[in-house]
Amino acid sequence: MEWSVGIVVPAFQPNVSQLQAFVRALDETLSPAVIRIELDDPRPGVVDALSSLPATVNAVDARRGKGAAIAAGFEALDTDVYAFADADGATPAKSIAEVVKPVLDGRADLSVGSRRHPDAVVKSHQTLARRRLGDAFAWMARRLLTVDLYDYQCGAKAMTADAWAAVREHLYEPGFAWDVELIAMAGALGQRVTEVPVEWHDQPDSTVDPVGTTKALAKGLFVSRHRAKLVSQDRFHQAIANRRDQPTALVDLGTKDD
């Protein structure tokens, strides 16, 4: 049986021509059942410019955050495999296909693209400051989480629909920390996680603030560890949780289309 693939592309004020080329490459390379662009706070004319693409465009007049946008897109899919790829095309379509492959082959519940894997091919590098911050975050994540990876934040991941159904109610981070939370929860639930080296092209026009984002990621990492411990029924972390108001999962915040 051939599994169907759905791809979500979260986008905030994207480079339109770059996004157009990337979506067409995804369609040609993977032949997915659906490509869904989750477009936050679009500039005038952007929705029309994307209307000719082989994709559904869900435009929202606010900035939800990367995690909230992907969660909304996944909730709208009806395929066997869910994948997402960042809109800047830093991970090219052929590498997205490699990330999806272990899930299609039944070898993984969650497949994680990796720029820091020894076999990754980095065509253009981030600035030294961004590399150092990224390395420090990955080092810390390996020591705090049960899933040992080289790279937790690469914008290319794929998972089975069943894996998403199991993890969806445990995801709360609306921004960039959603990636590490997804991996932490998958590990806590005993899902099979594999890491796939990708080709990477740094995009200097990215809307990501490296310093502010790294601070948010660090906070998100510790929160994700706490939530993963809760899923694993750790008594200490359960005692902490009992003293706090519990947040609402992204999928319960109206992220799914009406």
Side-chain angles (χ1 to χ4, degrees), residues 1-5 30-31 80-81 104:
M1 179 178 119
E2 186 173 346
W3 282 11
S4 59
V5 177
L30 286 92
S31 299
D80 301 307
V81 175
L104 290 175

Side-chain angles (χ1 to χ4, degrees), residues 115-222:
R115 305 156 294 180
R116 292 185 164 81
H117 192 283
D119 296 329
V121 178
V122 179
K123 294 289 189 178
S124 57
H125 287 274
Q126 297 172 319
T127 64
L128 180 61
R130 289 181 65 185
R131 290 205 304 274
R132 291 289 182 263
L133 288 170
D135 290 344
F137 177 81
W139 179 90
M140 188 163 54
R142 281 193 293 273
R143 281 149 183 80
L144 292 177
L145 304 181
T146 60
V147 182
D148 189 358
L149 303 175
Y150 291 99
D151 191 354
Y152 296 81
Q153 291 301 121
C154 179
K157 294 178 176 66
M159 65 195 310
T160 65
D162 287 344
W164 172 250
V167 79
R168 60 188 288 278
E169 65 184 18
H170 300 292
L171 301 176
Y172 302 87
E173 295 290 340
F176 290 104
W178 185 88
D179 292 73
V180 73
E181 184 180 47
L182 173 67
I183 294 168
M185 295 304 118
L189 291 167
Q191 295 181 0
R192 297 169 300 159
V193 181
T194 192
E195 188 170 21
V196 178
V198 299
E199 181 179 312
W200 173 261
H201 300 255
D202 184 52
Q203 302 298 325
D205 295 330
S206 171
T207 58
V208 178
D209 169 20
V211 176
T213 299
T214 300
K215 290 180 180 178
L217 285 175
K219 178 182 177 181
L221 174 58
F222 282 97

